[in-house]
Amino acid sequence: MPKSVSYSRTTITELMIPSYANFGGKIHGGILLSLMDKVAYACASKHAGTYVVTVSVDGVNFLQPIEVGELLSLHASVNYVGRSSMVIGIRVVSENVKTGEQKHTNTSYFTMVAKDDITGKPTEVPELILETKDDIRRCLEAIKRKELKEVYKDDFNNEISELHIEGNLHLLEKERIIINP
């Protein structure tokens, strides 16, 4: 039975505590990745109605630092579904509780795959009902990202298979690299 984007939309809000901080006093990137994986799982498993696993993460850019004491809200929605896969879009916003100032700190896309509880093999997910223009835009963007990712993968693999060390050493000349054979 098809499910709407709004059915599985999920938000997790968590207070950023001192034990989450890195040596610079900002929230550690690994903490943020773990929270994003958690909200992606919650959103995807609700849509799929079964256990899901993370198979890829796209677009992890840390746009703004997150401070200890801020509330961090992770907003997730299913942007696209394949046969057994789902692309979960995540928008991360931090809020200074004293001033009310909010800042967009990250947007990322997690690809999750639904697994059969018994066999552990990929299992079909419900079709996705797009209800708003934003839902349609996000779905179209996910399709375009998927297409571009495939083109990049093919192009990169072709370049790597034809890469000859001696013929490309000039690429290292402008880099901060020392070759010490």
Side-chain angles (χ1 to χ4, degrees):
M1 172 176 243
K3 293 181 182 173
S4 66
V5 172
S6 62
Y7 173 80
S8 57
R9 189 169 282 127
T10 304
T11 298
I12 292 176
T13 301
E14 189 163 334
L15 177 66
M16 297 295 100
I17 58 177
S19 63
Y20 292 175
N22 61 23
F23 293 113
K26 308 299 182 196
I27 299 307
H28 195 285
I31 296 293
L32 182 56
L33 287 169
S34 176
L35 291 169
M36 289 190 302
D37 193 51
K38 186 188 299 186
V39 75
Y41 176 87
C43 180
S45 63
K46 186 166 185 183
H47 181 83
T50 189
Y51 176 71
V52 298
V53 295
T54 306
V55 295
S56 73
V57 179
D58 295 331
V60 180
N61 297 308
F62 301 98
L63 307 173
Q64 305 264 354
I66 301 166
E67 308 287 339
V68 171
E70 291 183 334
L71 284 178
L72 194 69
S73 294
L74 300 99
H75 308 280
S77 63
V78 179
N79 290 356
Y80 170 83
V81 297
R83 192 189 70 74
S84 62
S85 66
M86 297 157 281
V87 175
I88 309 302
I90 302 169
R91 179 179 173 89
V92 182
V93 177
S94 67
E95 179 180 357
N96 180 313
V97 293
K98 292 179 183 176
T99 66
E101 178 191 359
Q102 293 187 351
K103 57 188 177 185
H104 173 214
T105 64
N106 183 277
T107 296
S108 192
Y109 305 95
F110 280 54
T111 300
M112 312 295 283
V113 170
K115 296 287 192 161
D116 182 86
D117 290 334
I118 297 168
T119 66
K121 293 184 178 180
T123 189
E124 194 168 290
V125 298
E127 292 174 302
L128 185 62
I129 301 169
L130 305 175
E131 302 170 298
T132 68
K133 286 187 179 188
D134 276 341
D135 292 346
I136 295 167
R137 177 185 52 79
R138 288 182 185 114
C139 186
L140 291 170
E141 287 172 357
I143 291 167
K144 184 53 78 177
R145 241 186 331 279
K146 182 180 173 186
E147 289 172 1
L148 293 173
K149 194 173 173 181
E150 284 301 315
V151 168
Y152 171 80
K153 185 171 109 180
D154 291 343
D155 288 351
F156 183 76
N157 287 338
N158 289 337
E159 288 289 325
I160 292 301
S161 68
E162 297 173 12
L163 184 66
H164 301 287
I165 293 175
E166 288 75 21
N168 287 286
L169 285 175
H170 68 280
L171 296 173
L172 299 176
E173 290 172 2
K174 294 181 182 177
E175 302 297 328
R176 296 182 43 84
I177 304 292
I178 298 170
I179 298 175
N180 190 9

